Amino acid sequence: MKSGFDEMHAAGAEVREHYRGYDLWLAQQPGDVMLSRREEAEVIFRRVGITFAVYGAKDDAANSENAGTERLIPFDLIPRVIPAHEWREMERGLVQRVSALNRFIHDVYHGQEIIKAGHVPAEQVLNNAQFRAEMKGVDVPGGVYSHIAGIDIVRAANPDGSGSYYVLEDNLRVPSGVSYMLEDRKMMMRLFPELFSQHRVAPVAHYPDLLLETLRSVAPAAVNEPTVVVLTPGMHNSAYFEHAFLAQQMGIELVEGQDLFVRDNFVYMRTTQGPKRVDVIYRRVDDDFLDPQAFRADSTLGCAGLLGAYRAGNVTLSNAIGTGVADDKSIYPYVPKMIEFYLGEKPILNNVPTYMCRKSDELKYVLDHLGELVVKEVHGAGGYGMLVGPASTQAEIEAFRRALLANPSGYIAQPTLSLSTCPTYVDSGIAPRHIDLRPFVLSGKEVQMVPGGLTRVALKEGSLVVNSSQGGGTKDTWVLEA
């Protein structure tokens, strides 16, 4: 999988069919017009306040006390285009994968059947830093734990020149980035309205409606008109723009922990008209900070007594406490087995082949091939705590070798996939840059999503790291309707 797959061009520079209309349009655009559009986009994004702060957390930083450097996420003018038939297959794979992951989370907090069957080692679950013993035996509405999942997908080239999609990572706790997906589409429609009359691009603007529908559908059973809120750590959080944006788009309150209180195992928010009961909390605060009585006593970001109200079934938390046990990189290699175990199906979307360094034979292979592999901390995120062997110095490789020998169970390794490339507007003109895709999967009474997702692009030439914290940007993602 060394030679990359070009999303726009097939062999011999022939433009792929689903890009032909856009390619004809692009060829007619003067360079100065594209440059002025890029500058216009940057001005608008700055005016709207679409910035993020650099953290290493996954995905929102929990602690607003450690605010990072505010940056504008670069926006690229050239869309990533996906034909309808490819999206249909990807969507099927996403529904399958997220359904199995939700079944897994329910199982590990109840019967633990997959552990008893020997498919997932007990210690990988029970000793996982994200396993929350407080959730054992707790039933959640519909058995859904991860209501909002961000599944990171990459495409790599096959020997015959075709490309295959792989799931690189599952984000099931507080996945961020959907606001950039929505704002990127609004920006493209503002800058290039003619493109949307020439192409049948599937809409994404209804995502906030789908999100609110999902959140309302998982309210406690006795509630007919649920009150839903977004819980944010505060304005210093890296994803605060997104918290405020989604609350505003859904027409619901944005609250901080100090706005909530628990009485008689029910949650209320303070309002100018007096206390108002809260039924569903879309929380963008990590587990450890949610309830100072149950988790970190020094947290000022959550609400005392929240876990008790949750365990009593009087409020729904989205996503559920303890979902992180399923998106840890040490659990990722077992997802194909989960799909077979819970659904009786073969995976539609494949994992990237993964070496588990806690296994002595796999550790030996990794140590012998460090210069060829990508090595990741099992709890790492945001492009931090990883080694990209082919792009690393000998000193960096040797430092990782020492870290691996000291704590092999803390790492996994994967082949260095050459992520697919997409033409990207950079300072030197239009050039290929590596990309990935994060579709956002909503699970309530049904599993649904808007077509596409957030395409992230590594703006540095040759870089495989697309994370915004590492200098990556974003593109609009077009799924063409058939």
Side-chain angles (χ1 to χ4, degrees):
M1 299 181 192
K2 292 301 180 186
S3 57
F5 180 90
D6 188 315
E7 296 285 344
M8 187 169 176
H9 299 97
E14 179 186 353
V15 176
R16 299 187 191 277
E17 183 178 349
H18 56 283
Y19 261 106
R20 284 178 188 161
Y22 178 80
D23 181 64
L24 287 172
W25 175 88
L26 184 62
Q28 297 167 4
Q29 304 310 303
D32 59 338
V33 170
M34 293 295 283
L35 180 61
S36 68
R37 293 289 186 274
R38 184 166 77 152
E39 291 170 349
E40 183 181 347
E42 184 168 330
V43 168
I44 294 170
F45 277 144
R46 286 199 184 280
R47 188 184 305 143
V48 174
I50 306 177
T51 60
F52 75 106
V54 179
Y55 291 95
K58 179 181 181 172
D59 262 316
D60 289 350
N63 193 342
S64 63
E65 299 303 313
N66 299 320
T69 305
E70 287 288 328
R71 294 185 194 166
L72 187 75
I73 296 182
F75 166 70
D76 183 55
L77 300 177
I78 300 179
R80 188 250 183 94
V81 184
I82 300 173
H85 72 276
E86 280 189 12
W87 172 251
R88 284 195 298 269
E89 185 72 359
M90 192 188 303
E91 186 176 39
R92 286 180 57 236
L94 289 165
V95 169
Q96 179 195 61
R97 189 174 182 99
V98 171
S99 298
L101 284 163
N102 268 309
R103 293 275 293 273
F104 171 74
I105 303 169
H106 176 83
D107 186 21
V108 300
Y109 291 119
H110 289 80
Q112 301 184 347
E113 299 300 329
I114 199 166
I115 295 174
K116 293 172 184 173
H119 296 309
V120 180
E123 66 274 10
Q124 290 300 106
V125 173
L126 304 180
N127 296 338
N128 191 295
Q130 295 301 320
F131 181 77
R132 297 286 181 257
E134 297 86 352
M135 288 296 293
K136 289 169 74 171
V138 177
D139 291 318
V140 299
V144 179
Y145 289 76
S146 184
H147 310 93
I148 303 102
I151 309 298
D152 292 344
I153 294 178
V154 298
R155 173 142 60 176
N158 297 316
D160 64 359
S162 64
S164 294
Y165 288 112
Y166 295 87
V167 173
L168 190 63
E169 189 169 300
D170 303 294
N171 299 286
L172 306 178
R173 287 178 251 177
V174 279
S176 62
V178 76
S179 59
Y180 305 115
M181 174 190 82
L182 295 169
E183 289 293 336
D184 286 356
R185 174 61 55 83
K186 281 169 60 178
M187 184 61 71
M188 285 294 285
M189 295 180 80
R190 174 177 181 148
L191 297 178
F192 309 112
E194 70 276 16
L195 281 172
F196 292 88
S197 60
Q198 298 170 15
H199 296 79
R200 296 187 63 192
V201 181
V204 297
H206 58 296
Y207 175 87
D209 297 331
L210 285 186
L211 176 58
L212 183 59
E213 175 190 312
T214 297
L215 295 171
R216 291 171 63 91
S217 77
V218 295
V223 180
N224 292 322
E225 291 294 325
T227 296
V228 183
V229 300
V230 176
L231 174 62
T232 177
M235 63 182 297
H236 296 296
N237 181 265
S238 62
Y240 180 74
F241 166 79
E242 178 157 294
H243 308 165
F245 174 88
L246 288 174
Q248 185 267 329
Q249 292 289 307
M250 289 189 284
I252 63 177
E253 293 294 329
L254 178 69
V255 300
E256 297 183 29
Q258 63 195 13
D259 301 319
L260 303 176
F261 67 93
V262 173
R263 179 192 298 154
D264 299 327
N265 264 354
F266 287 92
V267 181
Y268 298 87
M269 66 173 161
R270 296 177 173 89
T271 76
T272 54
Q273 285 80 41
K276 181 176 177 62
R277 184 176 157 186
V278 173
D279 306 298
V280 181
I281 300 174
Y282 176 22
R283 51 95 172 207
R284 301 296 291 257
V285 174
D286 289 345
D287 288 356
D288 288 341
F289 299 88
L290 275 176
D291 183 347
Q293 291 180 354
F295 302 112
R296 283 186 54 159
D298 62 343
S299 173
T300 59
L301 304 178
C303 171
L306 184 57
L307 179 64
Y310 183 49
R311 288 172 61 95
N314 294 329
V315 68
T316 298
L317 294 178
S318 176
N319 288 342
I321 293 171
T323 53
V325 70
D327 75 4
D328 189 284
K329 291 182 179 68
S330 66
I331 295 295
Y332 162 90
Y334 300 101
V335 178
K337 186 65 70 177
M338 292 176 201
I339 293 170
E340 294 184 24
F341 183 76
Y342 297 115
L343 306 180
E345 300 169 0
K346 293 290 184 185
I348 297 168
L349 290 169
N350 291 318
N351 273 19
V352 176
T354 302
Y355 303 98
M356 292 177 270
C357 298
R358 62 186 179 79
K359 297 184 175 182
S360 58
D361 56 335
E362 297 188 21
L363 174 64
K364 182 179 186 306
Y365 178 86
V366 171
L367 291 171
D368 290 344
H369 297 83
L370 273 179
E372 306 164 21
L373 301 171
V374 175
V375 186
K376 303 175 182 178
E377 285 184 327
V378 296
H379 302 310
Y384 297 100
M386 64 185 288
L387 175 83
V388 181
S392 300
T393 65
Q394 197 58 40
E396 290 167 336
I397 290 172
E398 291 310 313
F400 248 80
R401 185 186 306 279
R402 292 191 293 272
L404 273 168
L405 289 168
N407 179 29
S409 63
Y411 295 88
I412 61 166
Q414 297 169 331
T416 306
L417 292 187
S418 184
L419 309 188
S420 65
T421 61
C422 185
T424 301
Y425 193 82
V426 295
D427 290 340
S428 58
I430 296 174
R433 291 293 185 266
H434 294 292
I435 58 171
D436 79 349
L437 177 66
R438 177 177 289 184
F440 295 91
V441 185
L442 300 174
S443 302
K445 281 194 164 54
E446 57 183 315
V447 182
Q448 53 190 340
M449 65 204 82
V450 297
L454 178 67
T455 291
R456 300 183 298 177
V457 54
L459 294 174
K460 298 174 186 172
E461 185 175 0
S463 174
L464 297 172
V465 182
V466 299
N467 305 75
S468 52
S469 55
Q470 306 288 304
T474 65
K475 289 174 170 284
D476 191 14
T477 308
W478 292 6
V479 171
L480 298 183
E481 296 180 317

